[in-house]
Amino acid sequence: MKLEKQAIFNALKTISVPGEGEDMVTSGAVTNVVTFGDEVIVDITIKNPSLQAKKKAEVEIMKAIHAEVHMKAQVKVNVRVDAPEKAPKNEIKGKPIPGIQNIIAVASGKGGVGKSTITANLAVSLQKMGFKVGILDADIYGPSIPIMFDVQDEKPLSVKVDGKQKMKPVESYGVKILSIGFFTKPDQAVVWRGPMASKALNQMIFDAAWGELDFLLVDLPPGTGDIHLSIVQAMPLTGAVVVSTPQNVALADAKKGVAMFQQDSINVPVLGIVENMAWFTPEELPENKYYIFGKEGASNLAEDLGVRLLAQIPLVQSIREGGDVGHPAALQKDTILAEAFETMTRNSVEELVKRNDSLPPTEAVKITTMAGCAAVKK
Protein backbone atom coordinates (compact mmCIF):
# COMPACT_ATOMS: atom_id res chain seq x y z
CA MET A 1 0.00 0.00 0.00
CA LYS A 2 1.36 3.38 -1.01
CA LEU A 3 -0.20 6.60 0.29
CA GLU A 4 -0.36 9.64 -1.99
CA LYS A 5 0.54 13.07 -0.60
CA GLN A 6 -2.20 14.83 -2.52
CA ALA A 7 -4.79 12.46 -1.08
CA ILE A 8 -3.52 13.33 2.42
CA PHE A 9 -3.81 17.08 1.70
CA ASN A 10 -7.33 16.60 0.34
CA ALA A 11 -8.29 14.76 3.52
CA LEU A 12 -6.83 17.50 5.73
CA LYS A 13 -8.90 20.12 3.88
CA THR A 14 -12.02 18.53 5.35
CA ILE A 15 -11.11 19.51 8.93
CA SER A 16 -10.46 22.87 10.53
CA VAL A 17 -7.90 24.16 13.00
CA PRO A 18 -9.19 24.03 16.63
CA GLY A 19 -10.69 27.40 17.47
CA GLU A 20 -10.33 28.75 13.91
CA GLY A 21 -12.60 28.74 10.87
CA GLU A 22 -10.33 27.79 7.97
CA ASP A 23 -9.34 24.26 7.08
CA MET A 24 -5.92 23.00 8.09
CA VAL A 25 -4.33 23.30 4.66
CA THR A 26 -5.69 26.73 3.63
CA SER A 27 -4.86 28.25 7.01
CA GLY A 28 -1.25 27.12 6.73
CA ALA A 29 -1.48 24.99 9.87
CA VAL A 30 -0.13 21.97 7.98
CA THR A 31 3.59 22.66 7.58
CA ASN A 32 4.76 19.28 6.21
CA VAL A 33 3.48 15.89 5.09
CA VAL A 34 5.77 12.87 4.63
CA THR A 35 4.58 9.51 3.28
CA PHE A 36 6.46 6.21 3.16
CA GLY A 37 4.50 3.09 2.22
CA ASP A 38 1.54 2.90 4.59
CA GLU A 39 3.06 5.45 6.98
CA VAL A 40 2.29 9.17 7.01
CA ILE A 41 3.76 11.92 9.18
CA VAL A 42 1.85 15.20 9.45
CA ASP A 43 3.48 18.30 10.99
CA ILE A 44 1.04 21.03 12.05
CA THR A 45 1.31 24.33 13.92
CA ILE A 46 -1.62 25.65 15.95
CA LYS A 47 -2.06 28.81 18.03
CA ASN A 48 -4.11 27.32 20.86
CA PRO A 49 -1.67 26.12 23.57
CA SER A 50 -4.18 24.01 25.50
CA LEU A 51 -3.68 20.26 25.79
CA GLN A 52 -7.30 19.74 24.69
CA ALA A 53 -6.71 21.62 21.40
CA LYS A 54 -3.55 19.63 20.64
CA LYS A 55 -5.29 16.31 21.33
CA LYS A 56 -8.33 17.30 19.27
CA ALA A 57 -6.16 18.25 16.27
CA GLU A 58 -4.27 14.96 16.47
CA VAL A 59 -7.45 12.84 16.68
CA GLU A 60 -9.22 14.69 13.86
CA ILE A 61 -6.24 14.31 11.52
CA MET A 62 -6.12 10.55 12.17
CA LYS A 63 -9.87 10.19 11.60
CA ALA A 64 -9.78 12.20 8.36
CA ILE A 65 -6.90 10.20 6.89
CA HIS A 66 -8.45 6.87 7.90
CA ALA A 67 -11.84 7.90 6.45
CA GLU A 68 -10.70 9.67 3.27
CA VAL A 69 -7.44 7.90 2.35
CA HIS A 70 -6.98 4.47 3.93
CA MET A 71 -8.36 2.98 7.13
CA LYS A 72 -5.11 1.10 7.88
CA ALA A 73 -2.75 4.01 7.35
CA GLN A 74 -0.13 4.42 10.13
CA VAL A 75 -0.55 8.07 11.07
CA LYS A 76 1.81 10.11 13.24
CA VAL A 77 0.97 13.73 14.05
CA ASN A 78 3.53 16.24 15.32
CA VAL A 79 1.77 19.25 16.87
CA ARG A 80 3.71 22.47 17.41
CA VAL A 81 2.20 25.40 19.30
CA ASP A 82 2.92 28.93 18.13
CA ALA A 83 0.85 30.99 20.57
CA PRO A 84 0.82 34.78 20.12
CA GLU A 85 3.01 36.65 22.59
CA LYS A 86 1.25 37.75 25.73
CA ALA A 87 1.25 41.36 26.78
CA PRO A 88 4.11 42.29 29.17
CA LYS A 89 3.34 41.01 32.64
CA ASN A 90 3.72 44.43 34.26
CA GLU A 91 0.88 45.97 32.29
CA ILE A 92 -0.59 49.39 32.91
CA LYS A 93 -4.12 49.32 34.32
CA GLY A 94 -6.73 51.99 34.77
CA LYS A 95 -7.28 55.27 32.97
CA PRO A 96 -4.17 57.49 32.71
CA ILE A 97 -4.56 60.75 34.61
CA PRO A 98 -3.52 63.70 32.44
CA GLY A 99 -0.36 65.36 33.74
CA ILE A 100 0.63 62.62 36.19
CA GLN A 101 3.66 60.64 35.08
CA ASN A 102 4.12 58.01 37.83
CA ILE A 103 1.73 56.71 40.48
CA ILE A 104 3.24 54.80 43.40
CA ALA A 105 1.12 52.96 45.96
CA VAL A 106 2.51 52.79 49.49
CA ALA A 107 1.00 49.79 51.24
CA SER A 108 1.32 47.50 54.23
CA GLY A 109 -0.45 44.33 55.14
CA LYS A 110 -0.70 45.49 58.75
CA GLY A 111 -1.68 48.73 60.47
CA GLY A 112 0.65 50.57 62.79
CA VAL A 113 3.89 49.95 60.88
CA GLY A 114 4.35 53.60 59.87
CA LYS A 115 3.07 53.48 56.30
CA SER A 116 1.75 57.06 56.34
CA THR A 117 5.01 58.26 57.89
CA ILE A 118 6.94 56.62 55.06
CA THR A 119 4.56 58.16 52.48
CA ALA A 120 4.93 61.66 53.93
CA ASN A 121 8.72 61.50 54.10
CA LEU A 122 9.05 59.90 50.66
CA ALA A 123 6.98 62.77 49.24
CA VAL A 124 9.05 65.44 50.96
CA SER A 125 12.32 63.80 49.90
CA LEU A 126 11.16 63.62 46.27
CA GLN A 127 10.15 67.27 46.42
CA LYS A 128 13.59 68.20 47.80
CA MET A 129 15.14 66.43 44.80
CA GLY A 130 13.24 68.74 42.46
CA PHE A 131 10.27 66.57 41.53
CA LYS A 132 6.65 67.71 41.45
CA VAL A 133 4.84 65.53 43.99
CA GLY A 134 1.31 64.86 45.20
CA ILE A 135 -0.23 62.59 47.84
CA LEU A 136 -3.63 60.93 47.64
CA ASP A 137 -4.57 59.83 51.16
CA ALA A 138 -6.59 56.72 50.32
CA ASP A 139 -6.90 55.62 53.95
CA ILE A 140 -10.58 56.53 54.05
CA TYR A 141 -11.23 55.31 57.60
CA GLY A 142 -8.04 56.64 59.22
CA PRO A 143 -6.66 59.61 57.24
CA SER A 144 -3.49 60.92 58.89
CA ILE A 145 -1.66 62.74 56.08
CA PRO A 146 -3.33 66.13 56.86
CA ILE A 147 -1.97 65.99 60.43
CA MET A 148 1.52 64.98 59.24
CA PHE A 149 1.63 68.03 56.98
CA ASP A 150 -0.04 70.40 59.48
CA VAL A 151 -2.99 71.13 57.18
CA GLN A 152 -5.80 69.38 59.07
CA ASP A 153 -7.81 72.62 59.19
CA GLU A 154 -7.48 73.35 55.48
CA LYS A 155 -10.18 72.78 52.86
CA PRO A 156 -9.62 72.17 49.13
CA LEU A 157 -10.84 75.03 46.98
CA SER A 158 -13.01 74.66 43.89
CA VAL A 159 -11.40 75.76 40.63
CA LYS A 160 -12.58 75.68 37.04
CA VAL A 161 -10.46 73.60 34.63
CA ASP A 162 -11.51 73.33 30.97
CA GLY A 163 -15.00 74.46 31.92
CA LYS A 164 -15.38 71.89 34.73
CA GLN A 165 -15.31 72.42 38.48
CA LYS A 166 -12.39 70.59 40.10
CA MET A 167 -10.96 70.26 43.60
CA LYS A 168 -7.67 72.08 44.09
CA PRO A 169 -5.39 69.99 46.36
CA VAL A 170 -4.08 71.56 49.55
CA GLU A 171 -0.35 72.29 49.34
CA SER A 172 2.25 71.96 52.11
CA TYR A 173 6.06 71.88 51.83
CA GLY A 174 5.61 71.91 48.06
CA VAL A 175 3.52 68.71 48.10
CA LYS A 176 -0.08 68.66 46.81
CA ILE A 177 -2.44 66.71 49.09
CA LEU A 178 -5.98 65.38 48.94
CA SER A 179 -7.54 63.41 51.79
CA ILE A 180 -10.97 62.48 53.05
CA GLY A 181 -9.76 64.13 56.26
CA PHE A 182 -10.33 67.53 54.62
CA PHE A 183 -14.05 66.78 54.29
CA THR A 184 -14.82 65.40 57.76
CA LYS A 185 -14.67 66.83 61.26
CA PRO A 186 -11.74 65.72 63.46
CA ASP A 187 -14.05 63.75 65.78
CA GLN A 188 -16.26 62.36 63.00
CA ALA A 189 -15.99 58.66 62.17
CA VAL A 190 -16.27 57.66 58.52
CA VAL A 191 -18.76 54.79 58.55
CA TRP A 192 -19.04 53.83 54.89
CA ARG A 193 -19.40 50.59 53.03
CA GLY A 194 -16.94 49.69 50.29
CA PRO A 195 -18.84 51.18 47.30
CA MET A 196 -19.27 54.52 49.09
CA ALA A 197 -15.57 54.67 49.95
CA SER A 198 -14.63 53.75 46.38
CA LYS A 199 -16.86 56.50 44.99
CA ALA A 200 -15.23 59.10 47.27
CA LEU A 201 -11.80 57.92 46.12
CA ASN A 202 -12.74 58.21 42.47
CA GLN A 203 -13.84 61.80 43.06
CA MET A 204 -10.50 62.67 44.66
CA ILE A 205 -8.66 61.02 41.77
CA PHE A 206 -10.54 62.24 38.71
CA ASP A 207 -12.30 65.37 39.97
CA ALA A 208 -9.08 66.96 41.24
CA ALA A 209 -6.90 69.59 39.59
CA TRP A 210 -3.58 67.81 40.23
CA GLY A 211 -1.79 69.69 37.47
CA GLU A 212 1.61 68.43 36.34
CA LEU A 213 3.11 65.83 38.70
CA ASP A 214 6.17 63.61 38.37
CA PHE A 215 4.91 61.44 41.23
CA LEU A 216 1.54 60.84 42.85
CA LEU A 217 1.92 58.77 46.02
CA VAL A 218 -1.14 56.83 47.14
CA ASP A 219 -1.23 56.16 50.88
CA LEU A 220 -3.29 52.96 51.04
CA PRO A 221 -5.10 51.65 54.12
CA PRO A 222 -3.80 48.48 55.81
CA GLY A 223 -4.83 45.09 54.47
CA THR A 224 -5.91 43.90 51.03
CA GLY A 225 -9.51 44.98 50.59
CA ASP A 226 -12.00 47.03 48.58
CA ILE A 227 -9.95 50.22 48.52
CA HIS A 228 -6.90 48.44 47.11
CA LEU A 229 -8.92 46.86 44.31
CA SER A 230 -10.64 50.17 43.55
CA ILE A 231 -7.29 51.95 43.27
CA VAL A 232 -5.84 49.26 40.99
CA GLN A 233 -8.90 49.40 38.72
CA ALA A 234 -9.07 53.18 38.64
CA MET A 235 -5.42 54.22 38.32
CA PRO A 236 -2.46 53.10 36.20
CA LEU A 237 -0.17 52.26 39.12
CA THR A 238 3.48 52.38 38.12
CA GLY A 239 4.66 50.45 41.16
CA ALA A 240 4.17 49.73 44.85
CA VAL A 241 6.27 50.17 47.97
CA VAL A 242 5.48 47.83 50.88
CA VAL A 243 6.21 48.92 54.45
CA SER A 244 6.85 46.57 57.38
CA THR A 245 8.56 46.40 60.73
CA PRO A 246 11.04 43.56 61.40
CA GLN A 247 8.49 41.82 63.64
CA ASN A 248 7.26 38.39 62.51
CA VAL A 249 3.60 39.37 62.95
CA ALA A 250 4.05 42.36 60.62
CA LEU A 251 6.17 40.39 58.15
CA ALA A 252 3.45 37.78 57.70
CA ASP A 253 1.03 40.49 56.59
CA ALA A 254 3.65 42.31 54.50
CA LYS A 255 4.15 39.08 52.57
CA LYS A 256 0.41 39.08 51.80
CA GLY A 257 0.64 42.70 50.68
CA VAL A 258 3.40 41.84 48.19
CA ALA A 259 1.44 38.79 47.02
CA MET A 260 -1.61 40.96 46.36
CA PHE A 261 0.28 43.21 43.93
CA GLN A 262 1.92 40.20 42.26
CA GLN A 263 -1.38 38.41 41.51
CA ASP A 264 -1.99 37.88 37.78
CA SER A 265 -5.25 39.84 38.02
CA ILE A 266 -3.48 42.86 39.57
CA ASN A 267 0.11 42.71 38.31
CA VAL A 268 1.59 45.86 39.85
CA PRO A 269 5.40 45.78 40.11
CA VAL A 270 6.67 45.88 43.70
CA LEU A 271 9.56 48.34 43.76
CA GLY A 272 10.72 47.10 47.14
CA ILE A 273 10.21 46.83 50.87
CA VAL A 274 10.93 49.49 53.49
CA GLU A 275 11.87 48.18 56.93
CA ASN A 276 10.49 50.78 59.33
CA MET A 277 11.43 50.90 63.04
CA ALA A 278 14.41 48.70 62.13
CA TRP A 279 16.05 49.54 65.45
CA PHE A 280 15.73 52.10 68.24
CA THR A 281 18.41 54.74 68.54
CA PRO A 282 18.33 57.28 71.40
CA GLU A 283 19.03 60.80 70.13
CA GLU A 284 21.77 61.29 72.71
CA LEU A 285 23.42 57.96 71.75
CA PRO A 286 23.28 57.91 67.94
CA GLU A 287 25.70 54.98 67.68
CA ASN A 288 23.56 52.67 69.82
CA LYS A 289 21.05 50.29 68.22
CA TYR A 290 18.37 48.39 70.12
CA TYR A 291 16.40 45.87 68.03
CA ILE A 292 13.04 46.19 69.76
CA PHE A 293 10.96 44.56 67.01
CA GLY A 294 13.52 42.01 65.87
CA LYS A 295 16.51 42.21 63.57
CA GLU A 296 16.72 42.13 59.75
CA GLY A 297 13.18 40.73 59.40
CA ALA A 298 12.11 42.81 56.40
CA SER A 299 15.57 42.50 54.91
CA ASN A 300 15.26 38.71 54.93
CA LEU A 301 11.71 38.92 53.57
CA ALA A 302 12.85 41.10 50.66
CA GLU A 303 15.54 38.57 49.84
CA ASP A 304 13.07 35.66 50.02
CA LEU A 305 10.57 37.42 47.75
CA GLY A 306 13.19 38.62 45.27
CA VAL A 307 12.47 42.33 45.74
CA ARG A 308 14.77 45.12 46.87
CA LEU A 309 15.16 46.32 50.44
CA LEU A 310 14.77 50.04 49.82
CA ALA A 311 15.89 51.21 53.26
CA GLN A 312 15.99 50.50 56.97
CA ILE A 313 14.47 53.41 58.88
CA PRO A 314 15.48 53.65 62.56
CA LEU A 315 13.02 54.42 65.35
CA VAL A 316 14.02 57.85 66.63
CA GLN A 317 11.89 60.06 68.86
CA SER A 318 12.05 63.00 66.45
CA ILE A 319 10.27 61.06 63.71
CA ARG A 320 7.21 60.74 65.93
CA GLU A 321 7.48 64.37 67.01
CA GLY A 322 7.76 65.52 63.40
CA GLY A 323 4.63 63.59 62.44
CA ASP A 324 2.64 64.94 65.36
CA VAL A 325 3.48 68.59 64.67
CA GLY A 326 3.20 68.34 60.89
CA HIS A 327 6.89 68.67 60.06
CA PRO A 328 8.12 65.48 58.31
CA ALA A 329 11.48 64.24 59.59
CA ALA A 330 12.95 64.19 56.08
CA LEU A 331 13.06 68.00 56.29
CA GLN A 332 15.75 67.74 58.96
CA LYS A 333 19.34 68.42 57.96
CA ASP A 334 22.36 66.22 58.64
CA THR A 335 20.55 63.66 60.81
CA ILE A 336 20.42 59.87 60.58
CA LEU A 337 16.72 60.12 59.73
CA ALA A 338 17.23 62.56 56.86
CA GLU A 339 19.98 60.33 55.50
CA ALA A 340 17.83 57.19 55.82
CA PHE A 341 14.88 58.80 54.01
CA GLU A 342 17.16 60.13 51.27
CA THR A 343 18.54 56.60 50.74
CA MET A 344 15.00 55.19 50.63
CA THR A 345 13.92 57.77 48.06
CA ARG A 346 16.91 57.35 45.75
CA ASN A 347 16.55 53.57 45.81
CA SER A 348 12.83 53.87 45.07
CA VAL A 349 13.45 56.13 42.07
CA GLU A 350 16.21 53.82 40.84
CA GLU A 351 13.87 50.82 40.97
CA LEU A 352 11.15 52.86 39.28
CA VAL A 353 13.46 53.75 36.39
CA LYS A 354 14.42 50.07 35.98
CA ARG A 355 10.73 49.15 35.93
CA ASN A 356 9.92 51.83 33.35
CA ASP A 357 12.78 50.70 31.12
CA SER A 358 11.34 47.17 31.04
CA LEU A 359 8.05 48.37 29.51
CA PRO A 360 7.20 50.17 26.28
CA PRO A 361 7.36 53.91 27.03
CA THR A 362 3.93 55.40 27.66
CA GLU A 363 2.76 58.64 29.19
CA ALA A 364 1.62 56.66 32.22
CA VAL A 365 5.14 55.58 33.16
CA LYS A 366 7.56 58.06 31.63
CA ILE A 367 9.61 60.18 34.05
CA THR A 368 10.07 63.68 32.72
CA THR A 369 13.01 64.76 34.90
CA MET A 370 15.66 63.14 37.04
CA ALA A 371 17.04 66.36 38.49
CA GLY A 372 18.67 65.81 41.86
CA CYS A 373 18.71 62.04 41.65
CA ALA A 374 22.24 60.65 41.41
CA ALA A 375 20.88 57.13 41.09
CA VAL A 376 19.96 57.80 37.47
CA LYS A 377 22.33 58.34 34.59
CA LYS A 378 21.59 61.62 32.91
Side-chain angles (χ1 to χ4, degrees):
M1 176 180 65
K2 187 175 186 304
L3 301 176
E4 296 292 335
K5 256 191 186 183
Q6 189 56 50
I8 303 295
F9 277 112
N10 291 339
L12 295 176
K13 283 184 178 180
T14 65
I15 55 177
S16 61
V17 182
E20 299 181 27
E22 289 186 303
D23 67 77
M24 287 200 168
V25 177
T26 305
S27 68
V30 177
T31 56
N32 194 28
V33 173
V34 177
T35 61
F36 183 78
D38 64 347
E39 294 181 14
V40 57
I41 301 173
V42 180
D43 295 334
I44 67 165
T45 300
I46 63 175
K47 294 178 181 178
N48 190 332
S50 70
L51 184 61
Q52 182 182 2
K54 289 189 279 187
K55 192 65 180 174
K56 182 180 179 183
E58 184 179 349
V59 170
E60 287 191 352
I61 288 172
M62 288 182 175
K63 283 183 177 179
I65 294 174
H66 288 153
E68 302 291 331
V69 183
H70 200 288
M71 63 180 299
K72 292 187 178 179
Q74 304 295 314
V75 183
K76 181 180 179 183
V77 182
N78 297 321
V79 182
R80 178 176 171 270
V81 176
D82 185 18
E85 287 188 15
K86 292 183 179 180
K89 188 175 180 184
N90 296 335
E91 55 192 300
I92 301 301
K93 292 184 176 65
K95 293 184 289 185
I97 303 174
I100 298 178
Q101 301 303 315
N102 298 277
I103 304 174
I104 300 177
V106 183
S108 66
K110 192 169 199 62
V113 297
K115 170 184 48 59
S116 296
T117 297
I118 296 300
T119 303
N121 286 282
L122 178 58
V124 167
S125 298
L126 286 168
Q127 197 279 332
K128 283 168 62 179
M129 288 180 178
F131 293 109
K132 297 173 183 176
V133 188
I135 295 178
L136 173 65
D137 188 357
D139 195 347
I140 295 292
Y141 305 108
S144 51
I145 292 296
I147 295 174
M148 292 185 169
F149 279 85
D150 194 25
V151 288
Q152 61 268 39
D153 296 325
E154 300 288 332
K155 300 292 180 188
L157 299 175
S158 177
V159 294
K160 187 170 284 189
V161 179
D162 297 329
K164 296 180 180 179
Q165 292 299 124
K166 299 270 187 177
M167 286 182 284
K168 183 181 179 182
V170 173
E171 194 165 326
S172 179
Y173 304 114
V175 177
K176 295 180 180 180
I177 304 164
L178 272 183
S179 169
I180 200 68
F182 294 139
F183 306 98
T184 59
K185 296 177 182 178
D187 57 349
Q188 180 182 351
V190 179
V191 187
W192 290 346
R193 293 189 183 275
M196 186 80 168
S198 298
K199 185 177 179 181
L201 268 179
N202 275 333
Q203 285 186 309
M204 287 196 291
I205 295 168
F206 297 109
D207 293 343
W210 288 107
E212 298 291 326
L213 292 180
D214 295 307
F215 295 94
L216 177 64
L217 306 183
V218 184
D219 184 25
L220 291 173
T224 53
D226 278 353
I227 300 300
H228 304 75
L229 293 177
S230 296
I231 288 290
V232 168
Q233 291 171 345
M235 306 174 77
L237 292 181
T238 315
V241 171
V242 176
V243 182
S244 179
T245 62
Q247 189 179 6
N248 285 340
V249 172
L251 293 171
D253 290 336
K255 188 182 295 185
K256 295 172 186 174
V258 173
M260 174 189 70
F261 288 115
Q262 292 179 339
Q263 282 185 30
D264 288 341
S265 58
I266 293 179
N267 249 344
V268 173
V270 176
L271 303 179
I273 295 176
V274 175
E275 184 176 77
N276 196 26
M277 308 182 210
W279 57 78
F280 168 65
T281 296
E283 198 164 348
E284 63 277 11
L285 299 169
E287 301 301 319
N288 288 27
K289 294 181 179 180
Y290 302 95
Y291 297 93
I292 299 174
F293 296 108
K295 188 176 181 180
E296 304 288 345
S299 175
N300 294 333
L301 177 63
E303 186 176 347
D304 291 344
L305 297 177
V307 297
R308 185 169 182 177
L309 179 69
L310 298 174
Q312 292 177 301
I313 309 297
L315 178 59
V316 181
Q317 184 173 328
S318 61
I319 195 171
R320 189 272 306 163
E321 293 172 342
D324 284 351
V325 300
H327 190 269
L331 293 171
Q332 299 172 6
K333 293 183 179 179
D334 302 323
T335 66
I336 57 172
L337 279 178
E339 184 179 335
F341 284 126
E342 185 176 332
T343 298
M344 174 188 74
T345 305
R346 289 186 184 278
N347 289 342
S348 299
V349 174
E350 186 177 296
E351 288 301 307
L352 185 69
V353 172
K354 289 179 185 176
R355 170 259 186 274
N356 286 351
D357 286 345
S358 69
L359 288 176
T362 70
E363 285 302 315
V365 297
K366 187 174 67 178
I367 294 181
T368 56
T369 174
M370 284 291 112
C373 184
V376 181
K377 292 182 181 178
K378 298 180 177 63

